[in-house]
Amino acid sequence: MKLADIFQDGAVLQRGKESKIWGEDPNGTHVKAVLKGKTSVIAETSVQNGKFMLTFPAMEAQKDVLLKLVNDRDEVICLKDLAVGEVWIAGGQSNMEFRMAWDAERDNILSEYENTMIRFYETPKISYEGALEEENHSTEGVWRKAVPDEIPYFSAVGFYFANKLQKEFEGVPMGIIGCNWGGTSVSCWMPEEDLVSEFQVYIDLKDKTRGMDLEKEFETFKKRRADELSPEQCERLDLLMKNPIVEPQPPMNPTPEMEAFMALKYAPFSAFSAGNLYQTMLKKIVPYTCAGVIWYQGEEDSLPEYGGKYDRLFAKMIERWRMDWQEELPFIFAQLAGFTNPGGKLSLNFTQVRADQELASKAVKDAWMAVTYDVGLQYDIHPKQKRPVGERMALQALHHVYGKEQLSESPDVTAVRKEEGLITLEMIHTGDGLCLAGEDEKVKGLELTVNGRSVENYSTVVNGNLLQIQSDQIHENSCISLRYAWKDWIETNVYSSAGLPLRRSEEHTSELQS
């Protein structure tokens, strides 16, 4: 008898919902179990085709819970130090994977912070069955506590998210389950069948590799992966992630090493191949009972070879995960941070992905976006300040999932009025009113076009929930185009009273009446 790998000493179970615990027992017929904490709850089930699924009734938040399983052959499994609280899955790519060991505030947090009721499990990063045994995954696949020697391994976004929640729910354990891989597309986290037709490009990239000698290339791939996981490469990665890139980097034109990687990037055994990580990682934690999902991803899908459609692709993935969990899981996701497009091999288009993320936030039920484009680094695709990302996601959860009455959304334009010499934008979600950060008295990141010509000599005023733009070039019959924060890299200074940045917006006011 064996439990799924995620069920270990120190695990956090979701409060207030039925908890599903599963495993294998190839020679068994029946399993009975008890969760013993403040009270005891019992579950039992038959074994079907060597597998079992136990369903426990909902429990309240608590710690020091014991799980004991017994099968029909009197084999026993005991897990100790379990907790019951709030559990969230942390998905996406490298900015969710980004560890506390690399975070800008790591020195203070790592030396002073200790909280055994915030815990983290990182799903082992495997792209083919057997990789867990063949590769070095010694730092993954264990439940860790937020104590000095273990917190460096936490997802930084996940940590700040959990820490913010626990301040609101004092004493309630928090569990974060990392299930992410740097550089991956949304297509990696859903089955191929969901990509057919509309998102066929992802399958086609995989199919193009099938004409290769994949048996030979698989061995080449495994050698490259072993090098990636070597102590030398891990040390190099630590230096890269800890130290911000503060100067422009030359375009990433192909090198022999990059060409070799690209040749196998979409092979059936690669992490970047359509549908792979859905099978090798996500399915390992389905249907672990949780409160919802936090997601930070999109950089990879900004590459031109994927053809756009990020909003529909992301919505399709959310639909699939909800089907697998048989629950309308809340999704809270980060809008991509600001970053200068490097050109060359990486011809990224963050502006379009951010626009698609906004579409998804308004089209997908119970999916909310944390606006984070203002906390990027111009020349570093991995911003080192993860506290704002995690805490803004937590604000969304506290308001939308937990029903707390507080401001969680960024200011957003609801109406635009044009008058002689003046455009007025009316906002919602401003709190006590809009404000300008810093010493600049003019709104940054605003592009004004009048009758097709860019206008620079304008002034701006923020007043309560209004943003006003004044210029003697604005007339009642003018064709006006306004864009705010509509570039890959932008500097902005418009915030709500809660410190949340104004959402990007694009408005054409030629048809508005004065």
Side-chain angles (χ1 to χ4, degrees), residues 76 86 91 101 116 194 254 319 479 502:
V76 177
E86 293 298 314
T116 61
D194 290 352
E319 179 185 3
C479 177
L502 174 62

Side-chain angles (χ1 to χ4, degrees), residues 362-391:
K362 295 176 179 178
V364 180
K365 183 178 182 292
D366 294 339
W368 302 284
M369 182 179 73
V371 177
T372 58
Y373 65 79
D374 62 317
V375 293
L377 290 173
Q378 184 169 5
Y379 306 113
D380 197 331
I381 202 168
H382 300 114
K384 312 309 179 189
Q385 293 274 1
K386 296 302 191 221
R387 182 189 289 273
V389 181
E391 292 191 346

Side-chain angles (χ1 to χ4, degrees), residues 241-261:
M241 296 301 248
K242 285 179 179 177
N243 298 304
I245 299 171
V246 296
E247 297 179 348
Q249 302 297 297
M252 295 185 68
N253 294 312
T255 63
E257 292 78 11
M258 186 180 292
E259 293 288 359
F261 165 77

Side-chain angles (χ1 to χ4, degrees), residues 14 17 87-90 290-294 327 329-331 401-402:
Q14 176 64 40
K17 295 183 180 181
V87 179
W88 286 77
I89 296 167
C290 62
V293 179
I294 55 174
E327 183 182 353
L329 290 177
F331 264 75
V401 180
Y402 299 109

Side-chain angles (χ1 to χ4, degrees), residues 266-287:
Y266 304 107
F269 41 74
S270 168
F272 310 103
S273 182
N276 268 23
L277 300 185
Y278 174 80
Q279 300 295 339
T280 60
M281 290 182 64
L282 187 71
K283 296 289 275 188
K284 298 294 192 296
I285 63 170
V286 174

Side-chain angles (χ1 to χ4, degrees), residues 249-418:
Q249 302 297 297
M252 295 185 68
N253 294 312
T255 63
E257 292 78 11
M258 186 180 292
E259 293 288 359
F261 165 77
M262 289 301 298
L264 294 176
K265 181 175 181 178
Y266 304 107
F269 41 74
S270 168
F272 310 103
S273 182
N276 268 23
L277 300 185
Y278 174 80
Q279 300 295 339
T280 60
M281 290 182 64
L282 187 71
K283 296 289 275 188
K284 298 294 192 296
I285 63 170
V286 174
Y288 199 101
T289 309
C290 62
V293 179
I294 55 174
W295 181 267
Y296 192 160
Q297 188 275 343
E299 295 92 341
E300 174 67 14
D301 286 297
S302 72
L303 290 168
E305 56 256 43
Y306 299 129
K309 305 179 184 177
Y310 183 87
D311 58 322
R312 300 200 295 277
L313 181 65
F314 186 40
K316 189 73 173 178
M317 190 209 78
I318 292 174
E319 179 185 3
R320 168 56 62 179
W321 285 32
R322 287 172 173 174
M323 288 173 58
D324 287 348
W325 261 269
Q326 298 182 354
E327 183 182 353
E328 290 295 304
L329 290 177
F331 264 75
I332 298 171
F333 59 96
Q335 193 174 37
L336 293 186
F339 178 61
T340 292
N341 189 338
K345 184 65 179 177
L346 289 181
S347 184
L348 307 179
N349 188 351
F350 279 24
T351 301
Q352 185 58 53
V353 171
R354 289 197 201 103
D356 287 346
Q357 289 175 319
E358 291 183 19
L359 289 175
S361 73
K362 295 176 179 178
V364 180
K365 183 178 182 292
D366 294 339
W368 302 284
M369 182 179 73
V371 177
T372 58
Y373 65 79
D374 62 317
V375 293
L377 290 173
Q378 184 169 5
Y379 306 113
D380 197 331
I381 202 168
H382 300 114
K384 312 309 179 189
Q385 293 274 1
K386 296 302 191 221
R387 182 189 289 273
V389 181
E391 292 191 346
R392 289 176 189 177
M393 285 181 160
L395 287 176
Q396 295 281 23
L398 288 167
H399 178 62
H400 293 293
V401 180
Y402 299 109
K404 298 284 186 178
E405 291 297 328
Q406 60 187 70
L407 192 59
S408 65
E409 298 287 349
S410 281
D412 200 1
V413 176
T414 57
V416 182
R417 299 192 300 273
K418 180 175 60 173

Side-chain angles (χ1 to χ4, degrees), residues 196-254:
V196 173
S197 186
E198 185 175 11
F199 310 110
Q200 186 69 34
V201 60
Y202 294 95
I203 299 176
D204 292 344
L205 288 167
K206 186 174 189 175
D207 288 344
K208 285 180 181 178
T209 69
R210 298 190 189 278
M212 304 170 66
D213 183 349
L214 289 180
E215 184 174 342
K216 175 184 176 182
E217 297 298 344
F218 187 29
E219 296 306 313
T220 301
F221 170 86
K222 289 196 285 188
K223 290 179 182 177
R224 182 180 295 112
R225 181 72 177 138
D227 180 62
E228 289 174 0
L229 297 172
S230 68
E232 296 77 16
Q233 289 299 329
C234 289
E235 183 177 350
R236 180 175 175 272
L237 179 64
D238 278 343
L239 290 174
L240 176 67
M241 296 301 248
K242 285 179 179 177
N243 298 304
I245 299 171
V246 296
E247 297 179 348
Q249 302 297 297
M252 295 185 68
N253 294 312

